[in-house]
Amino acid sequence: RSCCMQRRVGMMLLRSLPRGTAAAAAAATRASAARALPLHAARSCYHTRGQYSSHAGIEPWYGQQCSATTILSVRKDDKVFVIGDGQVTLGSQVIKPNARKVRKLKEGVIAGFAGATADAMTLFERLEMKLGEHPETMRACVEMAKAWRMDKYLRRLEAIMIVADANVSLTLTGTGDVLEPVDGIIGIGSGGAFATAAARALIDIEGMDAEAVGRKAMDVASDMCIYTNKQYVTELITVPKPADADADAPK
């Protein structure tokens, strides 16, 4: 409807112009109407960071960055295990096989990300600042999510983060969500659902600790997800036992 209205207004303006300039104005009107076509009709792929044309055979890879990976966090007994693959995908190309998507923010706090690398690095720096202001991980993540949601620069950053310490495992998103899983298992990225399902199936098996569950679940995800490889980066946290438990233990 907007295109039709633009054409009608253009025709009304053309009638009031001399014949010499009417032809040039008509050509300009047709060009502007073509640019005003819907996205699916123009067959072009746009993003706020740039433009990519499907005619040139280039797919809109930026929107896929948030999903083209697998990060998994498993909490079982006295261990918290975070594992991520190393594959960096640009459209249909594997750019790098050994990227480090799981990092230690400070002693006892681990974070993993799925998304654009530059955006994730910016969010890591902001989260480190929040951890310096608020030593409690939950409070720091809530403050980080508030800033991520409200700041006009941070809200454009596209990534999903997993943050874990000895007490809590959280998922942070750009929409202001701070989610804590019920079973201590978090999976994000294109293979996150596969890894989460496999980890939940293995979590109750006796003899398998958090690391064994996480590695086996990532093997399943990497076999099913084309954006996930087997060059894993891992971090492990050992939860200290409370002092009263040691006192009550039989000697």
Side-chain angles (χ1 to χ4, degrees):
R1 292 181 181 178
S2 61
C3 294
C4 293
M5 290 297 296
Q6 290 180 6
R7 290 181 180 179
R8 290 178 183 177
V9 173
M11 292 302 296
M12 292 175 62
L13 294 175
L14 286 176
R15 292 193 184 101
S16 63
L17 295 175
R19 289 187 177 181
T21 58
T29 303
R30 286 193 296 268
S32 63
R35 287 194 298 267
L37 288 175
L39 187 63
H40 65 277
R43 296 187 59 80
S44 295
C45 302
Y46 293 89
H47 193 270
T48 56
R49 298 283 182 89
Q51 299 181 0
Y52 304 89
S53 173
S54 60
H55 295 292
I58 302 175
E59 298 296 333
W61 59 270
Y62 186 86
Q64 299 174 4
Q65 287 280 35
C66 281
S67 58
T69 188
T70 302
I71 308 294
L72 177 68
S73 174
V74 179
R75 180 182 297 269
K76 183 178 181 181
D77 298 332
D78 61 341
K79 292 184 179 180
V80 182
F81 184 68
V82 181
I83 182 172
D85 76 303
Q87 180 170 314
V88 177
T89 308
L90 178 60
S92 58
Q93 306 175 41
V94 177
I95 303 301
K96 186 176 181 180
N98 59 345
R100 188 173 183 85
K101 306 173 187 177
V102 177
R103 298 172 181 267
K104 182 179 292 186
L105 296 181
K106 70 173 189 178
E107 187 63 30
V109 180
I110 299 172
F113 74 89
T117 304
D119 293 355
M121 293 300 101
T122 302
L123 295 172
F124 276 161
E125 292 176 0
R126 290 300 185 100
L127 184 54
E128 287 177 346
M129 293 172 56
K130 295 298 181 181
L131 287 169
E133 298 172 3
H134 310 283
E136 184 183 359
T137 303
M138 174 67 82
R139 175 68 184 280
C141 289
V142 171
E143 295 297 327
M144 175 64 193
K146 289 166 59 178
W148 192 354
R149 173 68 173 171
M150 300 176 64
D151 190 279
K152 65 179 181 179
Y153 298 107
L154 289 180
R155 73 176 60 171
R156 297 184 180 182
L157 303 182
E158 298 194 6
I160 305 175
M161 298 180 65
I162 292 177
V163 182
D165 67 358
N167 301 315
V168 67
S169 299
L170 301 170
T171 305
L172 276 68
T173 69
T175 57
D177 297 324
V178 181
L179 308 175
E180 181 179 3
V182 177
D183 52 5
I185 299 173
I186 305 175
I188 60 175
S190 56
F194 305 134
T196 301
R200 288 178 176 174
L202 299 170
I203 196 69
D204 294 328
I205 297 180
E206 296 182 0
M208 294 188 70
D209 59 2
E211 182 174 356
V213 171
R215 289 186 178 277
K216 182 61 178 178
M218 280 294 292
D219 287 339
V220 173
S222 62
D223 289 339
M224 301 184 69
C225 177
I226 61 174
Y227 299 110
T228 304
N229 64 8
K230 294 183 181 293
Q231 297 192 29
Y232 304 139
V233 177
T234 64
E235 292 287 348
L236 180 66
I237 298 176
T238 301
V239 181
K241 295 181 179 180
D244 56 352
D246 295 336
D248 296 339
K251 298 182 180 179

